[in-house]
Amino acid sequence: MSAPHYIPFAQSLGTFENIAAAVPPIGLAELQARVARLQALMREAGVKAVYLDTSSSLTYFTAMSLGASERLHGAIIPSSGAPIYISPAFEQPKTETLITLAGDIATWEEHEDPTALVADIACRLPAAGNSLALDPATPFTFSDPIAGHLGERLPVISAKPLITGCRQIKSATEIAIIQTAMTASLGVHKAVWQGLYEGVSTTEVTDFIAAAHARLGMRHIFAAAQFGEATAYPHGVPYPQTLKRGDMVLIDLGAHIHRYCSDITRTYVFGEPTDRQREIWALEQKAHRAAFDAAQLGATCEAVDAAARKVLTDAGYGPDYKVPGLPHRTGHGLGMDIHEDPYIVRGNTTRLAPGMVFSDEPMLAIYGECGVRLEDIIYMSDTGPVFFTEPATSITRPFG
């Protein structure tokens, strides 16, 4: 059924207040601890330095946030000692204002090759180690020439295991920021449910979500609104839809505070659900719960995926990724990137540990009819899994 009390989008928008300003960002002490952890892992692995490009990992370790461009701009973290920031010479004054974690700046002029600068600095570092590890987000246009300049002097490897070893386990401060973002975005979700009316377009819904996140002081990332048969497609369809009574409605949205993301999906019916819609929704809810129950400390990520998938295959859907069924992994990690490690997918034998954060979203997709996805984010506490947001209770009570 539709929301019990219709509240127009414009009215709801006026009730949202900036909550992001009251949330403190990650402090210097935590940044220093992150770099210390990274350096300890580097020394264990025999890595001399890590190069961080203009990615979320640069922000994670240094608090510096830069936009990617054709000009190389980033930082080198040696296995011991302070970071070295790499900057175009004309950007040095700006770079200086962005530094939270103390370190020198090495610059390059427009006619110079910055990848040669990175290679030379890495070789000259007094730090111990026998390789340079590159941020996996480094574009090929930079990574290839860096490796070429280094040649046999210093082998190039991926920094992914080192970075994941730090970022995959969230601190209490990170968990608190994500909780604020999730709670705020759930309020936006509820306002969408309350504001739907026959004839509203998916574009109007997504525009409202973006505006609501902005009013909350959050940086809007995305919004997906799907009606009717279009709900069967995990990432929607490339055209707008108009809401009709009896349509299944799927809303997925995300935003961030201090780069820490929210990501929540709810599916329900506009109007009175049919028996078939209730059946499909209840099966999805069962799979969603099975994933949560399987997400125990020490369990593997693939075991969580298997638990959710078994519910659907036992009901005759699938198997594997076949549709009707669950066409994708059961979940993804969440933090400064909306999709990051750990991934809840077959083949991932990573064991769940306190501080891990990931989604629970085993979608049931039935092409030509509809789809149901219920997505909540789990964090692993010292005693087991905890949801950031209260899961949907039923198809008619999507917000508990």
Side-chain angles (χ1 to χ4, degrees):
M1 60 188 297
S2 56
H5 301 291
Y6 170 68
I7 303 176
F9 289 155
Q11 183 178 333
S12 290
L13 200 59
T15 67
F16 290 113
E17 298 180 355
N18 189 323
I19 50 90
V23 181
I26 300 298
L28 177 60
E30 187 157 337
L31 292 175
Q32 292 170 329
R34 290 174 177 181
V35 171
R37 168 65 175 160
L38 176 63
Q39 291 176 323
L41 293 175
M42 291 162 66
R43 291 191 291 269
E44 289 176 11
V47 172
K48 187 176 186 181
V50 167
Y51 169 71
L52 299 173
D53 202 71
T54 54
S55 67
S56 58
S57 290
L58 177 68
T59 307
Y60 177 85
F61 288 108
T62 72
M64 182 176 286
S65 184
L66 297 168
S69 79
E70 77 283 5
R71 293 183 173 92
L72 187 147
H73 208 165
I76 296 173
I77 309 293
S79 61
S80 60
I84 301 167
Y85 299 97
I86 312 297
S87 172
F90 72 91
E91 294 275 28
Q92 181 172 352
K94 182 180 78 172
T95 302
E96 289 173 349
T97 68
L98 296 174
I99 291 177
T100 300
L101 200 62
D104 293 333
I105 301 176
T107 62
W108 56 277
E109 298 290 359
E110 289 283 76
H111 66 284
E112 295 178 326
D113 181 356
T115 63
L117 176 63
V118 171
D120 289 344
I121 289 173
C123 286
R124 294 198 311 267
L125 284 170
N130 54 22
S131 61
L132 172 66
L134 295 184
D135 183 345
T138 305
F140 184 77
T141 190
F142 298 149
S143 62
D144 186 57
I146 289 173
H149 288 306
L150 286 170
E152 296 182 357
R153 294 185 295 166
L154 197 64
V156 171
I157 64 173
S158 172
K160 180 176 173 58
L162 302 171
I163 291 171
T164 299
C166 298
R167 291 184 55 175
Q168 192 166 243
I169 304 298
K170 271 62 177 178
S171 68
T173 305
E174 291 177 285
I175 296 292
I177 297 173
I178 295 171
Q179 181 65 75
T180 301
M182 292 291 294
T183 300
S185 284
L186 188 67
V188 175
H189 243 300
K190 188 171 183 179
V192 171
W193 178 58
Q194 293 173 324
L196 292 178
Y197 60 91
E198 192 158 17
V200 69
S201 71
T202 50
T203 302
E204 289 175 83
V205 173
T206 56
D207 286 350
F208 166 74
I209 292 169
H213 277 144
R215 286 291 297 266
L216 287 162
M218 304 174 75
R219 183 69 62 87
H220 177 70
I221 302 173
F222 80 100
Q226 297 156 235
F227 302 154
E229 192 267 341
T231 59
Y233 302 96
H235 290 162
V237 292
Y239 50 83
Q241 304 112 56
T242 300
L243 185 63
K244 303 185 299 297
R245 191 157 295 277
D247 276 348
M248 194 75 87
V249 175
L250 188 154
I251 307 294
D252 188 2
L253 54 81
H256 66 76
I257 298 173
H258 304 317
R259 289 291 290 268
Y260 286 92
C261 304
S262 63
D263 189 8
I264 311 172
T265 307
R266 289 289 182 269
T267 307
Y268 42 84
V269 172
F270 179 70
E272 186 64 29
T274 65
D275 290 344
R276 171 65 172 168
Q277 288 169 331
R278 291 177 185 274
E279 175 190 348
I280 295 169
W281 194 98
L283 186 58
E284 162 69 5
Q285 182 189 38
K286 185 177 178 181
H288 179 272
R289 184 67 202 190
F292 179 85
D293 290 343
Q296 299 301 315
L297 294 170
T300 61
C301 291
E302 69 174 1
V304 178
D305 177 82
R309 203 170 296 277
K310 184 177 186 301
V311 170
L312 300 181
T313 56
D314 285 354
Y317 293 95
D320 299 318
Y321 302 104
K322 293 181 180 178
V323 176
L326 171 51
H328 54 64
R329 65 196 175 213
T330 292
H332 57 81
L334 176 139
M336 296 189 86
D337 289 322
I338 203 159
H339 289 182
E340 61 179 49
D341 291 299
Y343 290 96
I344 310 303
V345 65
R346 183 187 305 167
N348 187 356
T349 58
T350 300
R351 295 193 177 277
L352 299 180
M356 289 184 176
V357 174
F358 52 91
S359 69
D360 176 357
E361 49 176 319
M363 179 177 188
L364 176 52
I366 306 173
Y367 296 160
E369 183 177 355
C370 67
V372 181
R373 183 167 70 248
L374 302 174
E375 178 187 18
D376 293 281
I377 307 300
I378 293 170
Y379 71 88
M380 299 303 296
S381 73
D382 290 337
T383 57
V386 180
F387 279 127
F388 283 100
T389 48
E390 183 180 0
T393 303
S394 69
I395 194 170
T396 57
R397 294 183 61 193
F399 300 98

